[in-house]
Amino acid sequence: MFNLHADLVPICFQKEYLSSRTFFQKTQQIFPAALLVEQREFEHPLKGPNNEPLFCDVLFLGQSTTPKAVLVLISGTHGVEGLTGSAVQADLLPELVEVLQANADLGVLMIHALNPWGVAWSRRCDHQGIDLNRNFIDFSDELPVQEGYKEINQACSMLDEQGYKGLKSAFSADAFDEFIASLTRGQYQDQNGLFYGGKAPSWSREVLNQITSHAFIQQAERLSVIDVHTGLGPYGYGEVINDHEPNSKGFEWASRLYGDNAYSALLGESSSAPKLGLLDFYWHNIIQDRGCFITLEFGTYPVEQLISNLWFEQQYQLSLQEGEPRKLDESRVVAMRNFFYPFEASWQQQVLFRSRQVVNLALTGLTEHG
Protein backbone atom coordinates (compact mmCIF):
# COMPACT_ATOMS: atom_id res chain seq x y z
CA MET A 1 0.00 0.00 0.00
CA PHE A 2 2.83 2.42 0.78
CA ASN A 3 6.62 2.53 0.89
CA LEU A 4 7.87 0.51 3.84
CA HIS A 5 11.43 1.55 3.05
CA ALA A 6 11.02 5.32 3.30
CA ASP A 7 13.62 6.99 5.49
CA LEU A 8 13.22 6.14 9.17
CA VAL A 9 13.34 9.68 10.59
CA PRO A 10 13.96 9.67 14.37
CA ILE A 11 13.05 13.37 14.68
CA CYS A 12 9.41 12.35 15.06
CA PHE A 13 10.37 10.97 18.49
CA GLN A 14 10.10 13.99 20.77
CA LYS A 15 10.99 14.15 24.46
CA GLU A 16 7.83 15.68 25.92
CA TYR A 17 4.15 16.33 25.24
CA LEU A 18 4.34 19.89 23.92
CA SER A 19 7.06 19.23 21.33
CA SER A 20 5.41 15.95 20.25
CA ARG A 21 2.09 17.70 19.69
CA THR A 22 3.82 20.56 17.84
CA PHE A 23 5.64 18.10 15.58
CA PHE A 24 2.41 16.20 14.91
CA GLN A 25 0.64 19.45 14.02
CA LYS A 26 3.46 20.57 11.69
CA THR A 27 3.26 17.23 9.88
CA GLN A 28 -0.49 17.67 9.63
CA GLN A 29 -0.07 21.13 8.07
CA ILE A 30 1.58 19.68 4.97
CA PHE A 31 -1.24 17.14 4.59
CA PRO A 32 -3.46 18.01 1.58
CA ALA A 33 -6.46 20.06 2.69
CA ALA A 34 -8.69 18.07 0.32
CA LEU A 35 -8.04 14.95 2.43
CA LEU A 36 -8.74 16.59 5.81
CA VAL A 37 -12.41 15.82 6.40
CA GLU A 38 -12.54 17.24 9.91
CA GLN A 39 -10.29 18.21 12.81
CA ARG A 40 -11.30 18.30 16.48
CA GLU A 41 -9.57 19.34 19.70
CA PHE A 42 -10.75 18.18 23.12
CA GLU A 43 -9.17 20.34 25.82
CA HIS A 44 -8.37 18.66 29.11
CA PRO A 45 -9.55 20.44 32.29
CA LEU A 46 -6.01 20.53 33.73
CA LYS A 47 -2.76 22.06 32.49
CA GLY A 48 0.65 20.64 31.68
CA PRO A 49 4.00 21.09 33.48
CA ASN A 50 4.56 24.50 31.89
CA ASN A 51 0.96 25.58 32.43
CA GLU A 52 0.25 24.72 28.81
CA PRO A 53 -3.23 23.57 27.73
CA LEU A 54 -3.56 19.86 27.02
CA PHE A 55 -5.53 18.37 24.15
CA CYS A 56 -6.70 15.13 22.67
CA ASP A 57 -6.39 15.91 18.94
CA VAL A 58 -8.51 14.09 16.39
CA LEU A 59 -8.11 13.96 12.61
CA PHE A 60 -10.67 12.53 10.19
CA LEU A 61 -8.82 11.89 6.90
CA GLY A 62 -10.03 10.79 3.48
CA GLN A 63 -12.15 11.83 0.54
CA SER A 64 -15.52 11.26 2.19
CA THR A 65 -17.31 12.05 5.45
CA THR A 66 -18.65 8.49 5.38
CA PRO A 67 -15.94 6.20 3.98
CA LYS A 68 -16.75 2.52 3.64
CA ALA A 69 -13.49 1.35 5.23
CA VAL A 70 -11.83 3.10 8.17
CA LEU A 71 -8.47 2.63 9.86
CA VAL A 72 -8.24 4.07 13.40
CA LEU A 73 -4.84 4.86 14.94
CA ILE A 74 -4.72 5.70 18.67
CA SER A 75 -1.86 7.06 20.80
CA GLY A 76 -1.57 7.89 24.48
CA THR A 77 -4.05 5.48 26.05
CA HIS A 78 -1.35 4.93 28.64
CA GLY A 79 -0.04 8.48 28.90
CA VAL A 80 3.73 7.99 29.07
CA GLU A 81 3.51 5.55 26.15
CA GLY A 82 1.90 8.27 24.03
CA LEU A 83 5.22 9.79 22.90
CA THR A 84 5.86 6.61 20.92
CA GLY A 85 2.33 6.59 19.53
CA SER A 86 2.67 10.24 18.54
CA ALA A 87 5.90 9.47 16.66
CA VAL A 88 4.17 6.62 14.84
CA GLN A 89 1.25 8.85 13.84
CA ALA A 90 3.52 11.68 12.64
CA ASP A 91 5.61 9.20 10.65
CA LEU A 92 2.56 7.67 8.96
CA LEU A 93 0.77 10.89 7.99
CA PRO A 94 2.87 11.63 4.87
CA GLU A 95 2.77 7.97 3.83
CA LEU A 96 -1.04 7.95 3.92
CA VAL A 97 -1.50 10.72 1.35
CA GLU A 98 -1.06 8.59 -1.75
CA VAL A 99 -3.09 5.73 -0.27
CA LEU A 100 -6.06 7.98 0.51
CA GLN A 101 -5.87 9.70 -2.85
CA ALA A 102 -6.02 6.32 -4.58
CA ASN A 103 -8.89 4.92 -2.48
CA ALA A 104 -12.03 7.06 -2.38
CA ASP A 105 -13.77 4.61 -0.02
CA LEU A 106 -10.97 4.63 2.57
CA GLY A 107 -10.77 6.84 5.64
CA VAL A 108 -8.28 7.19 8.49
CA LEU A 109 -9.10 8.43 12.00
CA MET A 110 -6.16 9.52 14.14
CA ILE A 111 -6.69 9.99 17.87
CA HIS A 112 -3.59 11.75 19.19
CA ALA A 113 -2.98 11.63 22.97
CA LEU A 114 -6.20 10.07 24.22
CA ASN A 115 -4.86 10.68 27.75
CA PRO A 116 -3.01 13.99 27.24
CA TRP A 117 -2.49 14.63 30.97
CA GLY A 118 -0.63 11.33 31.31
CA VAL A 119 1.54 12.12 28.28
CA ALA A 120 2.41 15.59 29.59
CA TRP A 121 3.11 14.56 33.18
CA SER A 122 4.87 11.25 32.39
CA ARG A 123 2.28 9.10 34.09
CA ARG A 124 0.84 5.87 32.76
CA CYS A 125 -2.53 6.65 34.32
CA ASP A 126 -4.65 9.80 34.10
CA HIS A 127 -5.10 12.77 36.47
CA GLN A 128 -7.42 10.71 38.69
CA GLY A 129 -5.00 7.81 38.97
CA ILE A 130 -7.12 5.75 36.57
CA ASP A 131 -5.47 3.25 34.28
CA LEU A 132 -7.47 4.11 31.17
CA ASN A 133 -6.94 0.64 29.77
CA ARG A 134 -8.86 -0.83 32.71
CA ASN A 135 -11.65 1.80 32.67
CA PHE A 136 -13.94 0.25 30.07
CA ILE A 137 -16.30 -1.78 32.23
CA ASP A 138 -20.02 -1.33 32.87
CA PHE A 139 -20.05 0.91 35.95
CA SER A 140 -23.79 0.43 36.40
CA ASP A 141 -23.00 -3.13 37.54
CA GLU A 142 -21.23 -4.15 40.73
CA LEU A 143 -17.52 -3.46 40.46
CA PRO A 144 -15.24 -6.47 39.98
CA VAL A 145 -13.37 -7.58 43.10
CA GLN A 146 -9.74 -8.60 42.75
CA GLU A 147 -9.40 -11.67 44.94
CA GLY A 148 -6.17 -11.73 46.91
CA TYR A 149 -5.38 -8.10 46.05
CA LYS A 150 -3.96 -7.44 49.53
CA GLU A 151 -1.47 -10.28 49.11
CA ILE A 152 -0.59 -9.13 45.58
CA ASN A 153 0.04 -5.59 46.81
CA GLN A 154 2.07 -6.90 49.73
CA ALA A 155 4.30 -8.87 47.35
CA CYS A 156 5.04 -5.64 45.49
CA SER A 157 6.24 -4.05 48.73
CA MET A 158 9.24 -6.42 48.58
CA LEU A 159 10.56 -4.07 45.95
CA ASP A 160 11.41 -1.50 48.61
CA GLU A 161 14.03 -3.84 49.99
CA GLN A 162 15.18 -6.07 47.18
CA GLY A 163 14.37 -4.36 43.88
CA TYR A 164 12.82 -6.08 40.89
CA LYS A 165 15.34 -8.96 40.81
CA GLY A 166 14.38 -9.88 44.34
CA LEU A 167 10.72 -9.87 43.34
CA LYS A 168 11.20 -12.45 40.60
CA SER A 169 13.44 -14.68 42.69
CA ALA A 170 10.69 -15.00 45.30
CA PHE A 171 8.53 -17.03 42.89
CA SER A 172 8.81 -20.16 40.82
CA ALA A 173 8.48 -19.49 37.07
CA ASP A 174 4.81 -20.51 36.94
CA ALA A 175 3.97 -18.67 40.16
CA PHE A 176 5.65 -15.51 38.91
CA ASP A 177 3.66 -15.59 35.67
CA GLU A 178 0.47 -16.07 37.70
CA PHE A 179 1.43 -13.17 39.99
CA ILE A 180 2.03 -10.84 37.02
CA ALA A 181 -1.24 -11.88 35.39
CA SER A 182 -3.18 -11.24 38.63
CA LEU A 183 -1.48 -7.92 39.33
CA THR A 184 -1.94 -6.52 35.83
CA ARG A 185 -5.49 -7.84 35.35
CA GLY A 186 -6.98 -4.65 36.79
CA GLN A 187 -8.52 -3.76 40.16
CA TYR A 188 -11.32 -1.44 41.27
CA GLN A 189 -10.94 -1.29 45.04
CA ASP A 190 -7.73 0.66 45.70
CA GLN A 191 -7.42 4.08 44.07
CA ASN A 192 -3.82 4.29 45.28
CA GLY A 193 -2.87 0.95 43.77
CA LEU A 194 -1.46 -0.08 40.43
CA PHE A 195 -3.75 -0.91 37.49
CA TYR A 196 -6.70 0.87 39.08
CA GLY A 197 -9.71 0.97 36.75
CA GLY A 198 -11.66 3.73 38.48
CA LYS A 199 -15.17 4.05 39.89
CA ALA A 200 -16.71 5.80 36.88
CA PRO A 201 -15.97 6.56 33.23
CA SER A 202 -12.82 8.67 32.83
CA TRP A 203 -12.48 11.99 31.02
CA SER A 204 -10.83 10.17 28.11
CA ARG A 205 -13.65 7.65 27.89
CA GLU A 206 -16.20 10.48 27.67
CA VAL A 207 -14.14 12.07 24.89
CA LEU A 208 -14.02 8.76 23.05
CA ASN A 209 -17.81 8.51 23.23
CA GLN A 210 -18.01 11.78 21.30
CA ILE A 211 -15.44 10.71 18.73
CA THR A 212 -17.04 7.37 17.96
CA SER A 213 -20.52 8.85 17.57
CA HIS A 214 -19.33 10.46 14.32
CA ALA A 215 -20.84 9.12 11.07
CA PHE A 216 -17.25 8.46 9.95
CA ILE A 217 -17.26 5.53 12.39
CA GLN A 218 -20.93 4.71 12.69
CA GLN A 219 -21.56 4.28 8.96
CA ALA A 220 -18.33 2.50 8.02
CA GLU A 221 -18.74 -1.01 6.63
CA ARG A 222 -15.25 -2.12 7.70
CA LEU A 223 -13.17 -0.99 10.68
CA SER A 224 -9.64 -1.76 11.80
CA VAL A 225 -8.43 -0.15 15.04
CA ILE A 226 -4.78 -0.05 16.14
CA ASP A 227 -3.84 1.20 19.62
CA VAL A 228 -0.10 1.82 20.08
CA HIS A 229 1.49 0.78 23.39
CA THR A 230 4.95 0.08 24.81
CA GLY A 231 6.44 -1.97 27.63
CA LEU A 232 5.72 -5.66 26.98
CA GLY A 233 7.74 -8.12 24.96
CA PRO A 234 11.19 -8.24 23.34
CA TYR A 235 13.09 -4.98 22.89
CA GLY A 236 11.83 -3.08 19.86
CA TYR A 237 9.47 -5.78 18.59
CA GLY A 238 5.91 -4.74 17.82
CA GLU A 239 3.53 -7.52 18.84
CA VAL A 240 0.03 -7.56 17.38
CA ILE A 241 -2.21 -8.48 20.33
CA ASN A 242 -5.69 -9.82 19.56
CA ASP A 243 -8.11 -9.71 22.52
CA HIS A 244 -11.17 -10.81 20.56
CA GLU A 245 -12.94 -13.98 21.70
CA PRO A 246 -11.75 -17.00 19.70
CA ASN A 247 -14.23 -17.99 16.97
CA SER A 248 -15.80 -14.52 17.00
CA LYS A 249 -16.09 -12.34 13.89
CA GLY A 250 -13.53 -9.95 15.35
CA PHE A 251 -11.07 -12.79 15.87
CA GLU A 252 -11.61 -13.90 12.27
CA TRP A 253 -11.01 -10.34 11.06
CA ALA A 254 -7.76 -10.10 13.05
CA SER A 255 -6.56 -13.37 11.58
CA ARG A 256 -7.57 -12.25 8.09
CA LEU A 257 -5.81 -8.89 8.30
CA TYR A 258 -2.69 -9.81 10.29
CA GLY A 259 -2.31 -13.56 9.77
CA ASP A 260 0.28 -15.19 12.02
CA ASN A 261 1.41 -11.76 13.25
CA ALA A 262 -1.65 -11.67 15.54
CA TYR A 263 -1.25 -13.32 18.95
CA SER A 264 -4.29 -14.13 21.07
CA ALA A 265 -4.23 -13.14 24.74
CA LEU A 266 -7.14 -15.46 25.53
CA LEU A 267 -5.37 -18.44 23.96
CA GLY A 268 -2.18 -17.72 25.92
CA GLU A 269 -0.13 -16.81 22.85
CA SER A 270 0.57 -13.19 23.77
CA SER A 271 3.00 -11.43 26.08
CA SER A 272 -0.16 -9.84 27.55
CA ALA A 273 -2.40 -11.88 29.87
CA PRO A 274 -6.22 -11.44 29.77
CA LYS A 275 -7.37 -8.26 31.53
CA LEU A 276 -10.47 -6.39 32.69
CA GLY A 277 -11.81 -3.12 31.28
CA LEU A 278 -9.64 -2.88 28.19
CA LEU A 279 -10.14 -0.22 25.56
CA ASP A 280 -10.41 -3.19 23.21
CA PHE A 281 -13.79 -4.14 24.67
CA TYR A 282 -15.21 -0.67 24.08
CA TRP A 283 -14.23 -0.90 20.43
CA HIS A 284 -15.50 -4.48 20.14
CA ASN A 285 -18.98 -3.11 20.89
CA ILE A 286 -18.55 -0.33 18.34
CA ILE A 287 -17.17 -2.60 15.63
CA GLN A 288 -19.46 -5.62 16.09
CA ASP A 289 -18.81 -7.83 13.03
CA ARG A 290 -17.35 -5.04 10.87
CA GLY A 291 -13.68 -5.59 11.67
CA CYS A 292 -11.26 -5.84 14.59
CA PHE A 293 -9.23 -4.06 17.25
CA ILE A 294 -5.59 -4.87 17.92
CA THR A 295 -2.98 -3.52 20.30
CA LEU A 296 0.40 -2.87 18.72
CA GLU A 297 2.73 -3.40 21.69
CA PHE A 298 6.40 -2.47 21.41
CA GLY A 299 8.67 -4.30 23.81
CA THR A 300 11.22 -2.58 26.00
CA TYR A 301 12.62 -4.33 29.11
CA PRO A 302 11.74 -7.33 31.34
CA VAL A 303 8.31 -7.45 32.98
CA GLU A 304 9.74 -7.52 36.52
CA GLN A 305 11.43 -4.23 35.73
CA LEU A 306 8.07 -2.90 34.51
CA ILE A 307 6.46 -3.67 37.87
CA SER A 308 9.40 -2.19 39.75
CA ASN A 309 9.32 1.08 37.82
CA LEU A 310 5.55 1.43 38.15
CA TRP A 311 5.67 0.66 41.87
CA PHE A 312 8.42 3.17 42.71
CA GLU A 313 6.85 5.87 40.55
CA GLN A 314 3.51 5.28 42.26
CA GLN A 315 5.11 5.62 45.69
CA TYR A 316 6.66 8.92 44.62
CA GLN A 317 3.29 10.20 43.39
CA LEU A 318 1.59 9.19 46.64
CA SER A 319 4.28 10.98 48.65
CA LEU A 320 3.41 14.36 47.16
CA GLN A 321 1.59 16.72 49.49
CA GLU A 322 -1.54 18.54 48.34
CA GLY A 323 -0.50 21.29 45.93
CA GLU A 324 3.07 20.01 45.64
CA PRO A 325 4.07 19.85 41.96
CA ARG A 326 5.17 16.61 40.35
CA LYS A 327 8.81 16.83 39.26
CA LEU A 328 9.50 15.31 35.87
CA ASP A 329 13.23 15.07 36.63
CA GLU A 330 12.67 13.07 39.82
CA SER A 331 14.66 9.82 39.54
CA ARG A 332 11.68 7.48 39.82
CA VAL A 333 9.75 9.42 37.18
CA VAL A 334 12.77 9.39 34.86
CA ALA A 335 13.28 5.64 35.34
CA MET A 336 9.64 4.90 34.58
CA ARG A 337 9.64 7.12 31.47
CA ASN A 338 12.87 5.53 30.22
CA PHE A 339 11.33 2.09 30.64
CA PHE A 340 8.34 2.88 28.43
CA TYR A 341 10.17 5.22 26.05
CA PRO A 342 13.77 4.13 25.30
CA PHE A 343 15.26 7.16 23.59
CA GLU A 344 17.60 5.05 21.47
CA ALA A 345 17.96 5.01 17.68
CA SER A 346 17.70 1.29 16.93
CA TRP A 347 14.56 0.95 19.09
CA GLN A 348 12.99 3.94 17.34
CA GLN A 349 13.82 2.55 13.90
CA GLN A 350 12.25 -0.80 14.77
CA VAL A 351 9.12 0.97 15.98
CA LEU A 352 8.72 2.97 12.78
CA PHE A 353 9.31 0.06 10.42
CA ARG A 354 7.04 -2.35 12.30
CA SER A 355 4.30 0.28 12.56
CA ARG A 356 4.36 0.81 8.81
CA GLN A 357 4.30 -2.93 8.27
CA VAL A 358 1.29 -3.50 10.54
CA VAL A 359 -0.62 -0.49 9.18
CA ASN A 360 0.10 -1.73 5.66
CA LEU A 361 -1.45 -5.09 6.55
CA ALA A 362 -4.53 -3.34 7.94
CA LEU A 363 -4.95 -1.08 4.91
CA THR A 364 -4.48 -3.95 2.47
CA GLY A 365 -7.06 -6.04 4.27
CA LEU A 366 -9.57 -3.19 4.53
CA THR A 367 -9.38 -2.35 0.83
CA GLU A 368 -9.17 -5.91 -0.53
CA HIS A 369 -12.07 -7.27 1.48
CA GLY A 370 -14.61 -4.69 0.37
Side-chain angles (χ1 to χ4, degrees), residues 54-87:
L54 306 175
F55 297 93
C56 172
D57 294 290
V58 182
L59 300 180
F60 297 85
L61 307 172
Q63 298 184 43
S64 169
T65 57
T66 55
K68 291 182 180 179
V70 173
L71 171 68
V72 182
L73 294 169
I74 306 171
S75 69
T77 300
H78 283 145
V80 68
E81 302 170 33
L83 294 175
T84 298
S86 176

Side-chain angles (χ1 to χ4, degrees), residues 7-302:
D7 290 342
L8 300 174
V9 184
I11 193 175
C12 57
F13 289 87
Q14 298 290 310
K15 290 192 173 181
E16 43 84 30
Y17 164 80
L18 192 56
S19 60
S20 69
R21 182 175 188 247
T22 300
F23 188 86
F24 178 72
Q25 290 176 320
K26 285 182 178 178
T27 308
Q28 174 199 329
Q29 287 170 5
I30 62 174
F31 204 83
L35 294 176
L36 181 57
V37 175
E38 188 175 341
Q39 177 182 357
R40 292 185 179 182
E41 294 179 345
F42 295 90
E43 185 171 0
H44 196 275
L46 300 180
K47 302 293 185 182
N50 300 303
N51 202 37
E52 72 272 30
L54 306 175
F55 297 93
C56 172
D57 294 290
V58 182
L59 300 180
F60 297 85
L61 307 172
Q63 298 184 43
S64 169
T65 57
T66 55
K68 291 182 180 179
V70 173
L71 171 68
V72 182
L73 294 169
I74 306 171
S75 69
T77 300
H78 283 145
V80 68
E81 302 170 33
L83 294 175
T84 298
S86 176
V88 167
Q89 289 172 319
D91 176 70
L92 289 171
L93 266 174
E95 303 299 320
L96 289 168
V97 173
E98 187 176 344
V99 180
L100 291 171
Q101 288 174 334
N103 294 274
D105 291 332
L106 178 66
V108 173
L109 169 61
M110 284 201 177
I111 303 174
H112 180 271
L114 182 57
N115 170 16
W117 186 93
V119 181
W121 287 98
S122 291
R123 290 225 76 196
R124 188 172 177 274
C125 57
D126 73 358
H127 60 294
Q128 296 179 301
I130 295 172
D131 183 330
L132 183 57
N133 216 23
R134 305 295 184 274
N135 187 238
F136 292 90
I137 64 169
D138 183 352
F139 286 101
S140 66
D141 286 345
E142 187 174 344
L143 294 176
V145 175
Q146 171 68 296
E147 297 295 337
Y149 175 74
K150 183 178 180 181
E151 289 74 19
I152 294 170
N153 207 44
Q154 189 172 25
C156 285
S157 67
M158 294 170 54
L159 292 165
D160 290 333
E161 297 179 359
Q162 301 181 46
Y164 70 88
K165 293 180 181 178
L167 175 66
K168 187 172 185 179
S169 66
F171 296 88
S172 66
D174 289 343
F176 182 71
D177 289 344
E178 184 179 342
F179 165 73
I180 294 297
S182 297
L183 174 64
T184 61
R185 185 167 180 258
Q187 55 88 14
Y188 301 83
Q189 56 217 70
D190 180 9
Q191 64 182 6
N192 293 325
L194 298 178
F195 306 101
Y196 172 63
K199 294 285 193 294
S202 62
W203 177 87
S204 296
R205 179 171 173 176
E206 298 291 358
V207 165
L208 195 57
N209 286 337
Q210 297 181 58
I211 297 170
T212 56
S213 66
H214 198 290
F216 202 86
I217 295 296
Q218 293 296 324
Q219 296 186 30
E221 296 175 4
R222 302 180 297 283
L223 283 166
S224 179
V225 184
I226 299 174
D227 187 24
V228 180
H229 284 257
T230 66
L232 288 178
Y235 188 80
Y237 178 68
E239 180 186 332
V240 175
I241 302 175
N242 170 18
D243 273 298
H244 287 275
E245 289 283 346
N247 302 315
S248 67
K249 289 292 184 181
F251 193 97
E252 292 174 12
W253 265 102
S255 298
R256 189 185 310 165
L257 266 58
Y258 304 104
D260 291 338
N261 288 282
Y263 292 173
S264 169
L266 293 174
L267 293 180
E269 301 169 342
S270 171
S271 62
S272 175
K275 297 174 175 64
L276 297 172
L278 291 174
L279 175 61
D280 309 44
F281 306 146
Y282 174 88
W283 279 100
H284 291 179
N285 289 330
I286 297 289
I287 296 169
Q288 296 296 321
D289 61 356
R290 296 183 291 165
C292 61
F293 177 107
I294 62 103
T295 300
L296 180 54
E297 180 86 41
F298 289 99
T300 56
Y301 303 104

